Amino acid sequence: MISFENVSKFYDNQTALRKISFSVERGEMAFITGPSGSGKTTLLKLIYMAEKADEGRINVNDMELSQLKESDISVLRKNIGIVFQDFRLLDNINVFENVAIALRIRGVDEREVKSKVFDALKLVSLRHKTDSYPTALSGGEQQRVAIARAIVSEPVIILADEPTGNVDPDTSAGIIRTFKEINARGTTILLATHNRELFRNSGKRVLKLDFGNFAGEEIG
Amino acid sequence: MSMSYSFRLAFQSIIHDKWVNLLAVLTIAAGLLFTAVTMLTVYNVNLITREIPKKFSINVYLKENLQKQEIDNITAAIKKEPSVENIKFIPKEDAWKELKSSLKNTEYILEGLNENPLPDTLEIKLKRDSINPIAVKKISAILKQIKGVSEIEYGEKILSSIYSLSLGIKTIGLTLIIIMSAGTLFVCYSTVKILFYRKNREIETYKFLGAAKWFIRFPFLIEGAVIGFSGGFLGFIGILILYYFVLLKVSTTFPIFSSFVFPLNIFYLLPVTGFVLGVIGAAFAIGRIRY
């Protein structure tokens, strides 16, 4: 589903990622871990093409990214649900609309939008915040809205960048549980986190990064 | 995504950022109103200066004791000139009467004059495009050559002054309109562009979520169009208020303003201009969407 072959990324002669190779199978849930600045966010950005690799080959959902035409990038992204580290919620629309936007971008029928959005918000325990605006929510609530937006369209891949960065341990556990449930339905999930507690005893594969280098993998 | 959803997104954004949007609307309204008022002023000044040549004529004084046939011949010769619009014969008796009536209270000036000293006159009106110092000098030289013509008079200095004034007003007016229009265009465009620069992050988020280019672009274009149109409409209201103020209030005190012409049809274009400016500003601000 996702494969990296000797992928490198440089920023102004600084190496962000060096010759990274790994693969995540269809339906797998895996973690990427490493300290801050180890390249986790860059790696995720390469997958949804917010950045382009300087070296190597990346294949996502049978699409060879270096060969992808500009017009196909939106097609690639429609297959991916992303939980951004900084949430990227739109402040001028309410929670319902923020989540619904993922469906409308994909052309989902308006009659289905309502029920799907309510289901997603229920899953992250935010059904009661439908009409609130993002600025009126706590950091943890905003993060859960971002998760609802990522999962609502039932994408084949979910990428989550520090999805529990702003929530308490109980909510963290709940979020991981939610991801596991979604994974159980066959969705491939790649979670970037520096919090080892999230994957401890998870039984999932953990890919380790260390200052841009691949530092091996283990089972959490 | 349906069209109605694009409109909904656009209106939600307009309402959410109401104060910034209101500022943009007011800026566009002020810019367009200012340009329209400049155009209106120049248009009216130009109308007034266009009226002045209507009063211009060349007086051809004829030699004394000419027969009717000779006067007709002179008239026919003058008529042949392409720049001549019409000719009016003023007999010396009529001219004398007119002079007397114009000097009603100071008739003593004419005391001692036992005879009418005025000659028969042909008053010549020229076509509008021939009323300029060079053309008039040329025609008056031709008229002077005609047999039976004694003298030519046309107020050379006055004509020069009027002509220079008219040319000056046209030049200044046109310059003002160009400067004002360019300024307004720039202000409106910058306002909308600044407004949308704030949305860069929003646009980027749409892109990352997989939105097609038209999905991203359309609500912003609608927003730009609504802001521009509102600005133009407000400018139009401003012009209407000004129109009634000048027509009803100022013209009673200053009658000169009663002849002020408001081509209202042109001002209906203000909302359309605002609309176009808004869309163009938004389109430029969003720029070429690259993934």
Side-chain angles (χ1 to χ4, degrees):
Chain A
M1 177 58 67
I2 301 169
S3 77
F4 275 50
E5 254 180 70
N6 292 320
V7 173
S8 297
K9 177 70 189 171
F10 309 103
Y11 292 115
D12 298 327
N13 298 326
Q14 292 250 351
T15 306
L17 291 172
R18 184 181 294 122
K19 297 210 175 294
I20 301 290
S21 296
F22 71 91
S23 65
V24 177
E25 298 306 315
R26 191 176 294 272
E28 186 183 353
M29 179 170 168
F31 291 88
I32 303 167
T33 191
S36 293
S38 59
K40 303 186 293 292
T41 300
T42 303
L43 189 144
L44 294 183
K45 281 181 172 177
L46 291 175
I47 296 172
Y48 64 90
M49 286 195 83
E51 300 284 355
K52 281 183 183 158
D54 294 310
E55 288 173 7
R57 288 155 61 102
I58 304 172
N59 191 295
V60 179
N61 197 27
D62 299 327
M63 290 181 178
E64 179 61 47
L65 300 194
S66 61
Q67 310 286 316
L68 215 57
K69 281 187 275 174
E70 206 203 337
S71 54
D72 290 332
I73 295 176
S74 72
V75 178
L76 166 83
R77 289 175 183 165
K78 279 193 178 91
N79 289 312
I80 304 173
I82 309 165
V83 181
F84 301 96
Q85 194 170 16
D86 53 356
F87 321 138
R88 284 188 173 271
L89 298 178
L90 306 178
D91 290 340
N92 56 344
I93 51 178
N94 64 26
V95 166
F96 179 91
E97 294 296 339
N98 261 287
V99 178
I101 215 150
L103 297 171
R104 288 181 173 129
I105 281 171
R106 288 159 178 82
V108 174
D109 193 282
E110 277 300 313
R111 283 166 293 189
E112 283 182 61
V113 168
K114 202 169 179 180
S115 63
K116 281 181 183 278
V117 171
F118 284 153
D119 287 349
L121 284 172
K122 204 169 151 189
L123 208 61
V124 295
S125 310
L126 279 178
R127 175 69 181 79
H128 60 294
K129 294 281 184 178
T130 310
D131 296 325
S132 302
Y133 281 82
T135 44
L137 302 178
S138 69
E141 285 171 330
Q142 289 185 29
Q143 196 147 35
R144 279 144 64 200
V145 176
I147 292 168
R149 186 180 60 189
I151 63 176
V152 72
S153 59
E154 298 169 27
V156 290
I157 300 168
I158 288 178
L159 305 175
D161 196 357
E162 302 286 1
T164 58
N166 287 281
V167 293
D168 57 74
D170 283 347
T171 315
S172 278
I175 287 171
I176 294 301
R177 232 181 356 259
T178 306
F179 279 125
K180 280 182 177 169
E181 279 172 37
I182 295 161
N183 174 241
R185 294 179 205 161
T187 308
T188 307
I189 298 177
L190 192 54
L191 280 161
T193 181
H194 66 273
N195 183 358
R196 303 184 70 83
E197 288 306 313
L198 286 189
F199 52 78
R200 199 187 299 276
N201 302 321
S202 65
K204 305 292 182 190
R205 206 148 58 96
V206 180
L207 309 164
K208 290 190 276 187
L209 286 177
D210 188 25
F211 295 105
N213 295 302
F214 188 66
E217 60 177 72
E218 62 183 36
I219 301 296
Chain B
M1 183 182 70
S2 67
M3 194 78 150
S4 63
Y5 180 65
S6 289
F7 276 96
R8 191 143 58 87
L9 264 189
F11 283 103
Q12 271 171 342
S13 180
I14 287 170
I15 290 163
H16 186 265
D17 296 327
K18 52 187 173 295
W19 297 116
V20 185
N21 288 329
L22 184 67
L23 194 69
V25 167
L26 290 175
T27 310
I28 292 168
L32 289 176
L33 181 65
F34 208 42
T35 307
V37 169
T38 311
M39 282 178 171
L40 192 66
T41 310
V42 172
Y43 177 75
N44 274 278
V45 171
N46 201 29
L47 271 188
I48 293 165
T49 56
R50 278 167 72 97
E51 288 300 304
I52 293 170
K54 282 187 184 167
K55 310 229 186 289
F56 177 81
S57 61
I58 299 176
N59 288 329
V60 176
Y61 300 121
L62 304 178
K63 286 182 178 163
E64 285 198 32
N65 305 320
L66 291 180
Q67 298 302 309
K68 189 180 175 303
Q69 185 57 48
E70 285 174 300
I71 294 170
D72 288 347
N73 289 343
I74 294 169
T75 308
I78 294 171
K79 258 188 189 158
K80 276 184 193 160
E81 287 303 319
S83 55
V84 172
E85 190 156 83
N86 67 59
I87 304 166
K88 185 182 164 192
F89 175 67
I90 305 166
K92 57 194 281 184
E93 295 77 18
D94 290 2
W96 182 238
K97 264 187 224 164
E98 202 182 313
L99 181 66
K100 272 183 171 176
S101 73
S102 67
L103 297 171
K104 216 178 251 175
N105 300 322
T106 52
E107 217 170 338
Y108 60 87
I109 292 169
L110 303 175
E111 276 173 18
L113 284 173
N114 299 324
E115 276 183 28
N116 176 2
L118 300 175
D120 287 332
T121 307
L122 290 171
E123 190 186 82
I124 299 169
K125 293 273 184 198
L126 296 180
K127 287 178 183 158
R128 182 182 288 277
D129 55 2
S130 299
I131 304 174
N132 64 67
I134 296 165
V136 172
K137 206 168 188 173
K138 200 173 151 193
I139 180 87
S140 64
I142 293 166
L143 297 176
K144 234 178 211 170
Q145 304 298 317
I146 298 171
K147 200 181 162 195
V149 170
S150 154
E151 211 179 317
I152 307 284
E153 191 217 74
Y154 62 87
E156 196 173 350
K157 280 186 183 164
I158 293 171
L159 177 68
S160 271
S161 308
I162 291 170
Y163 186 73
S164 306
L165 181 73
S166 170
L167 200 70
I169 285 169
K170 267 184 200 161
T171 312
I172 292 169
L174 201 68
T175 313
L176 264 178
I177 287 175
I178 290 170
I179 292 171
M180 286 307 303
S181 305
T184 305
L185 269 173
F186 182 73
V187 168
C188 295
Y189 162 73
S190 306
T191 307
V192 179
K193 197 167 169 135
I194 288 166
L195 196 69
F196 284 97
Y197 265 141
R198 298 169 62 245
K199 312 225 175 215
N200 264 352
R201 193 174 157 75
E202 198 176 323
I203 291 169
E204 200 179 53
T205 303
Y206 280 126
K207 287 194 284 188
F208 289 162
L209 293 177
K213 288 180 183 179
W214 61 268
F215 183 102
I216 300 168
R217 208 177 275 271
F218 216 66
F220 289 117
L221 292 180
I222 294 171
E223 205 175 329
V226 171
I227 290 167
F229 181 83
S230 307
F233 188 73
L234 213 62
F236 173 67
I237 300 283
I239 280 285
L240 275 185
I241 293 169
L242 199 70
Y243 171 64
Y244 286 108
F245 178 72
V246 169
L247 208 70
L248 302 175
K249 303 273 182 202
V250 181
S251 62
T252 51
T253 322
F254 303 100
I256 190 169
F257 283 102
S258 61
S259 57
F260 218 71
V261 178
F262 273 82
L264 277 176
N265 286 341
I266 294 172
F267 296 115
Y268 291 139
L269 285 176
L270 280 186
V272 179
T273 311
F275 176 90
V276 172
L277 278 175
V279 173
I280 292 173
F284 271 97
I286 300 163
R288 197 174 158 243
I289 293 172
R290 286 173 183 277
Y291 290 111

